[in-house]
Amino acid sequence: MEAMGGHVMVPLESLSLELPNGEIVVGYDKEIAALKEEISALRSKQRHLDRRRREALDKLIDLKGSIRVFCRVRPLIQTSNLKTKSPVTVGQEKIAVQSVGIKKEFILDRVFDQESTQEDVFLEVKPILKSALDGHNVCILAYGQTGTGKTYTMEGTDGKLGIVPRAIQELFSHASADSSSTYSFSISMLEVYLGSLRDLLAPRQTLFRHTECSTASNISILATKSGSVEVEGLTDVSVPDLKKANQWYCRGRRARSTSWTNVNDVSSRLTRITIRKHGVTEEVSKLWLIDLGGSERLLKTGASGLTMDEGKAINLSLSALGDVIAALRRKRSHVPYRNSKLTQILSDSLGDGSKVLMVVHISPSEEDVSETVCSLSFAERARSIKSNKDVSEDLKMMKQKRLAELDKEICNTEQELKYVNEQIKKDEISLEEKKQLYSSVCQAVSDEKGSPRSTLVTGHIDATESPQATEKPKSRLSNGSVPHFMSSTACSRQRHNAGSHSVSKPRLTKSVTRHPIELSGSQSFSYSSCKNAAKARSVAFSSSVPKLKYLPVKSDQINISSNSIDSTAASAPKRRESFVSRPAQRAPLHQHRRRMSSLT
Ligand SMILES: Nc1ncnc2c1ncn2[C@@H]1O[C@H](COP(=O)(O)OP(=O)(O)OP(=O)(O)O)[C@@H](O)[C@H]1O
């Protein structure tokens, strides 16, 4: 505090605030600095945990195989009263087909029986979605004979949502829970029919089935030098929230079902979600969700004409996909992506660093048994991991143990991350509240009418009777009902008890800390005006927000007016921010002394 023309100058950082309940708020800057420090430490922990989680997930997926194949058996649809035994027997990772002249067993990564629910399937899909959020390109494909449930698995029905709507939901919920990064998503949908591509989200849909199909698409596939693929001309809609994403997804579904009538079984439908993760660097990844055309063989259907062409096209597309997967599995240097439109589009999402999940669908009916065997043979070939039957028991056990360890590590890290994320959110809210409170005080200063150099009346101090109290307040501990930083001082409690008349007078309190109020160096506080401003402002504040009340004076910084020099004056730091008292509002010295002593 300095003396200026008979006015007492109080360092701005000495400011304290009084809450409506009489509590005194002190040490704001320390609180804010501590919070900032804590948030920064939590963020660094968050990055560390996220790295650990990613590494564990990568290892887990690699160990499980970057091309995983599941099988789902559709429930039996009874076409006649004749009850026949299903040729299919299902285990957890095993499926046996037994019929006249057929006895085969297939090993896959996971088999879902007829009773499996959409939730069961999605639970197994979830880890791969995390991989997509971590920056890997991911492909989830539904393969199988017509009518075996591909669309049911991918899209689902109203009450039983399939993988696509659940995945969209999961992406948004993950993005909102992850405070370490921000994500943005966009969606595209297209259909591949007879080797042509159709944009399902284009503003106007072109209906074509026969001659138009070769000319209707203006989509072209471009491979960039870096190996990524651009589908030029394909509509890509940015979706800021789940609602918008669902709206566009439904629109794409409608476009598909209303335009190319009756081609659903011979066309492949692709939904692409582009994930942008904004952090220090931007990571872009693609999540492809694909409902492939029916895989039945042409000979069986006895097709001719257009149906024959459609069958050939889908067969070409599926066999090209099979060839690509086989080449990838065998780690061949040449992967034949160019053999079909489908594999060209997916070329950067099936290869190195990508994760592929294929859900092969089969019918439990006796009449479909040969198609079932074909589909399962395709499935087994596609797996990147050798069948367990070729692996020794010891190795199997070791693998299971390692998988369980990684699973546990991911689970624990996610728990820790969840806790850290919540803590960051809480701290950020708390920090924001404190900053707002401070900015309100600053606003009170700038509201000072007329003068940019606002003044704060602190009371007159006689040269001979400078305050002696220099000790810190004994306790600022919370009484439990308010945060600890808002605990009352002895002074506030005394004043609160003393009645309202004393409240109206300017007071001196000890300041404990500096307050980093963002004022220009020339600004200072006027007690009276601030009090009024703060009172007025308290309408806008929540009821718990304090009004400016106190005139904190750091006693060891108290300086005396020009003609009476305090002994501490020489050592007192001179600050540009100061509060100047007005003689008319000076408090008698004895009042001041009493108050100062009450602080001890
Ligand atoms: N797991 C299941 N649970 C209950 N109903 C199912 C299941 N799988 C398929 N269905 C039903 O079987 C019928 C055929 O399924 P769906 O249309 O999904 O087959 P699809 O393989 O997509 O056929 P397409 O190749 O013609 O598109 C639908 O009525 C669907 O609701």
Side-chain angles (χ1 to χ4, degrees):
M1 190 165 71
E2 297 171 26
M4 261 185 69
H7 298 294
V8 177
M9 312 293 284
V10 180
L12 185 60
E13 66 271 25
S14 301
L15 182 68
S16 298
L17 303 170
E18 183 182 320
L19 299 172
N21 64 1
E23 304 288 350
I24 296 296
V25 180
V26 287
Y28 252 45
D29 59 341
K30 271 190 183 163
E31 292 281 348
I32 287 178
L35 269 174
K36 281 183 175 168
E37 215 170 282
E38 190 176 318
I39 291 171
S40 152
L42 284 167
R43 286 220 176 275
S44 124
K45 188 170 182 190
Q46 186 186 48
R47 281 192 296 275
H48 168 74
L49 286 170
D50 194 49
R51 221 175 13 249
R52 222 169 77 190
R53 182 196 60 77
R54 273 173 178 236
E55 282 167 10
L57 182 66
D58 271 355
K59 281 183 200 158
L60 182 108
I61 289 178
D62 286 347
L63 199 61
K64 283 184 170 177
S66 52
I67 303 176
R68 303 192 74 208
V69 183
F70 296 167
C71 174
R72 187 174 196 184
V73 187
R74 194 204 62 205
L76 194 66
I77 300 168
Q78 210 67 49
T79 47
S80 70
N81 289 334
L82 208 70
K83 284 205 172 165
T84 51
K85 190 175 172 283
S86 171
V88 176
T89 317
V90 170
Q92 177 87 355
E93 292 172 356
K94 192 165 23 178
I95 186 157
V97 184
Q98 194 165 6
S99 182
V100 185
I102 301 172
K103 190 173 180 199
K104 282 187 181 285
E105 197 177 86
F106 301 89
I107 306 290
L108 300 169
D109 293 291
R110 180 83 159 82
V111 180
F112 297 98
D113 63 18
Q114 301 182 32
E115 275 78 49
S116 299
T117 63
Q118 301 283 59
E119 286 78 26
D120 296 335
V121 177
F122 189 67
L123 213 64
E124 289 287 334
V125 171
K126 257 186 174 180
I128 209 171
L129 293 180
K130 286 193 186 142
S131 241
L133 285 158
D134 285 346
H136 296 280
N137 287 344
V138 166
C139 230
I140 302 175
L141 307 113
Y143 178 96
Q145 179 192 354
T146 298
T148 47
K150 299 181 294 293
T151 309
Y152 181 83
T153 295
M154 296 309 283
E155 294 183 2
T157 55
D158 276 350
K160 292 173 180 166
L161 298 181
I163 290 175
V164 187
R166 281 171 197 264
I168 294 174
Q169 212 169 322
E170 177 70 16
L171 294 181
F172 278 97
S173 88
H174 182 94
S176 73
D178 181 0
S179 62
S180 63
S181 324
T182 50
Y183 294 88
S184 57
F185 304 103
S186 57
I187 187 169
S188 302
M189 289 174 83
L190 75 152
E191 190 159 27
V192 183
Y193 170 67
L194 277 177
S196 290
L197 307 175
R198 191 165 65 107
D199 186 349
L200 294 171
L201 297 182
R204 239 188 266 146
Q205 295 302 324
T206 316
L207 299 177
F208 61 92
R209 178 167 163 82
H210 300 278
T211 52
E212 286 172 80
C213 58
S214 54
T215 55
S217 173
N218 58 356
I219 299 171
S220 51
I221 304 160
L222 300 175
T224 65
K225 275 189 182 158
S226 64
S228 69
V229 175
E230 296 293 336
V231 189
E232 222 181 44
L234 179 67
T235 308
D236 187 45
V237 191
S238 168
V239 281
D241 52 45
L242 179 61
K243 194 174 166 205
K244 274 270 174 289
N246 280 334
Q247 277 171 359
W248 281 101
Y249 173 59
C250 289
R251 185 175 153 169
R253 280 177 68 179
R254 273 200 308 275
R256 190 177 69 209
S257 58
T258 53
S259 307
W260 270 341
T261 357
N262 299 328
V263 302
N264 278 358
D265 48 350
V266 282
S267 71
S268 295
R269 287 86 74 181
L270 292 78
T271 303
R272 182 186 70 187
I273 301 186
T274 306
I275 303 165
R276 287 183 180 79
K277 187 174 180 179
H278 312 278
V280 184
T281 55
E282 190 183 82
E283 276 177 6
V284 182
S285 53
K286 297 175 204 171
L287 169 65
W288 285 102
L289 301 144
I290 303 162
D291 184 355
L292 291 167
S295 64
E296 51 277 351
R297 291 162 305 157
L298 291 173
L299 285 178
K300 187 198 168 204
T301 55
S304 62
L306 177 68
T307 320
M308 180 76 165
D309 292 343
E310 288 172 336
K312 272 186 192 163
I314 190 65
N315 271 15
L316 176 81
S317 181
L318 294 178
S319 68
L321 179 68
D323 292 343
V324 164
I325 289 177
L328 289 170
R329 205 196 120 182
R330 291 184 194 118
K331 303 202 185 316
R332 291 259 163 88
S333 56
H334 174 69
V335 182
Y337 290 115
R338 299 195 62 81
N339 289 352
S340 79
K341 281 272 174 12
L342 180 73
T343 47
Q344 278 179 52
I345 291 173
L346 298 179
S347 59
D348 64 347
S349 303
L350 291 171
D352 263 358
S354 310
K355 317 284 173 193
V356 180
L357 173 62
M358 185 180 288
V359 188
V360 173
H361 294 77
I362 58 166
S363 148
S365 308
E366 177 66 50
E367 59 196 33
D368 294 318
V369 70
S370 53
E371 284 302 332
T372 298
V373 170
C374 279
S375 294
L376 290 172
S377 303
F378 180 90
E380 205 173 48
R381 272 201 314 274
R383 285 183 78 214
S384 59
I385 298 292
K386 275 186 169 184
S387 289
N388 267 356
K389 59 186 170 195
D390 304 332
V391 179
S392 74
E393 279 305 312
D394 278 358
L395 274 176
K396 267 192 235 171
M397 292 231 320
M398 271 168 64
K399 186 181 161 187
Q400 286 310 321
K401 192 171 163 241
R402 184 69 188 126
L403 284 174
E405 281 168 8
L406 287 167
D407 244 344
K408 197 168 171 214
E409 188 178 337
I410 293 169
C411 197
N412 290 345
T413 317
E414 279 179 348
Q415 282 296 319
E416 264 189 86
L417 257 172
K418 198 173 162 210
Y419 171 78
V420 169
N421 286 345
E422 278 166 9
Q423 201 55 43
I424 289 174
K425 269 189 191 160
K426 275 187 204 158
D427 281 0
E428 280 177 343
I429 290 170
S430 189
L431 181 65
E432 201 44 47
E433 281 171 3
K434 285 183 202 309
K435 280 183 175 173
Q436 269 178 20
L437 194 60
Y438 249 163
S439 84
S440 300
V441 173
C442 290
Q443 189 62 43
V445 173
S446 66
D447 282 355
E448 263 294 84
K449 276 184 277 168
S451 168
R453 282 188 62 88
S454 306
T455 55
L456 178 65
V457 176
T458 62
H460 176 75
I461 300 172
D462 192 291
T464 57
E465 295 189 67
S466 60
Q468 315 215 330
T470 56
E471 294 145 56
K472 292 185 175 174
K474 276 188 178 132
S475 170
R476 290 193 287 114
L477 289 177
S478 163
N479 61 10
S481 61
V482 289
H484 70 279
F485 64 88
M486 291 184 171
S487 59
S488 60
T489 61
C491 180
S492 77
R493 286 192 296 275
Q494 190 194 47
R495 191 188 60 260
H496 200 60
N497 296 337
S500 59
H501 71 278
S502 61
V503 169
S504 64
K505 291 182 182 172
R507 288 165 180 272
L508 296 172
T509 66
K510 287 196 296 181
S511 84
V512 179
T513 56
R514 287 192 57 175
H515 294 261
I517 297 174
E518 289 168 14
L519 297 177
S520 73
S522 64
Q523 281 177 307
S524 57
F525 246 98
S526 157
Y527 168 67
S528 54
S529 59
C530 282
K531 193 176 104 173
N532 293 339
K535 256 186 189 170
R537 203 168 306 288
S538 68
V539 176
F541 293 176
S542 72
S543 59
S544 64
V545 176
K547 63 190 178 205
L548 182 66
K549 190 85 178 182
Y550 259 69
L551 303 176
V553 177
K554 201 166 184 174
S555 54
D556 59 2
Q557 288 180 352
I558 289 177
N559 203 351
I560 310 300
S561 61
S562 50
N563 49 3
S564 53
I565 310 297
D566 181 85
S567 61
T568 59
S571 61
K574 296 215 188 292
R575 318 203 74 88
R576 282 188 299 165
E577 310 94 336
S578 58
F579 308 132
V580 183
S581 72
R582 294 193 182 103
Q585 291 169 300
R586 284 172 195 159
L589 179 64
H590 69 273
Q591 272 183 21
H592 166 73
R593 266 218 313 235
R594 182 163 49 77
R595 276 176 222 124
M596 293 307 287
S597 63
S598 73
L599 291 168
T600 60

